[in-house]
Amino acid sequence: MSAVRQLARTAPRFVAQLRAPAQRRLASTATENAFVKERQHIKEHAKSTTGEFATVEEDLSLVRPPAVVDGVTPCLIAASANAYWLWNEHWEHWNHLPPLEERTEYAYQNIRSKNYQWGEGDKTLFWNDSVNYHNPNKVA
């Protein structure tokens, strides 16, 4: 790399390093202005009020039960009851359907280009005998 090119590359960095200490402004406690006084007042106010909130929270916890009992528990009970009701309704519907062996198998269902590596090779990893049925000898 030529000297001129190297000087052109390093000159801006060198000038910035020389200028940086001159531009740096350090915080000083000697200069008390309105902004510094306001920030100090806010810090003191926050420090004094946080202690009050801690005592208020302790008093409220003695008067009423925690928020978990107030909202979460009834919602969980209602959601669980709804899920149980829908589950039973779903299986009642399945009872009215014809047996798995009599249902129509379409060409796009249970496509097997090769056997699976587990079990007898005909059932998928998530196979459920009460829901899924596949007759490998049946012609669609």
Side-chain angles (χ1 to χ4, degrees):
M1 186 182 309
S2 70
V4 175
R5 186 172 176 197
Q6 187 174 2
L7 182 65
R9 285 185 62 195
T10 57
R13 248 184 298 168
F14 181 70
V15 172
Q17 288 173 352
L18 287 177
R19 192 181 315 137
Q23 290 180 340
R24 191 174 298 155
R25 295 180 184 170
L26 300 174
S28 173
T29 56
T31 58
E32 287 281 328
N33 57 19
F35 177 76
V36 173
K37 288 179 182 177
E38 182 182 359
R39 294 296 297 167
Q40 188 63 29
H41 174 71
I42 291 171
K43 285 181 182 179
E44 291 170 2
H45 178 70
K47 193 180 290 185
S48 66
T49 56
T50 53
E52 293 174 12
F53 284 122
T55 57
V56 169
E57 287 177 2
E58 290 171 3
D59 294 341
L60 286 179
S61 66
L62 298 175
V63 176
R64 63 178 183 84
V68 171
V69 177
D70 292 345
V72 174
T73 306
C75 290
L76 281 174
I77 291 170
S80 299
N82 183 40
Y84 178 76
W85 179 69
L86 289 174
W87 175 264
N88 288 336
E89 188 177 286
H90 171 72
W91 287 109
E92 285 175 12
H93 169 72
W94 268 76
N95 291 336
H96 299 295
L97 294 174
L100 290 172
E101 296 83 16
E102 296 176 10
R103 294 190 192 154
T104 307
E105 270 196 69
Y106 297 100
Y108 59 84
Q109 291 177 321
N110 298 315
I111 297 173
R112 307 283 190 267
S113 58
K114 64 179 185 177
N115 287 340
Y116 292 110
Q117 300 167 353
W118 50 84
E120 57 194 52
D122 189 44
K123 297 180 179 176
T124 66
L125 191 60
F126 302 104
W127 191 267
N128 184 352
D129 287 326
S130 62
V131 177
N132 304 112
Y133 176 76
H134 175 59
N135 186 353
N137 302 325
K138 187 175 184 179
V139 178

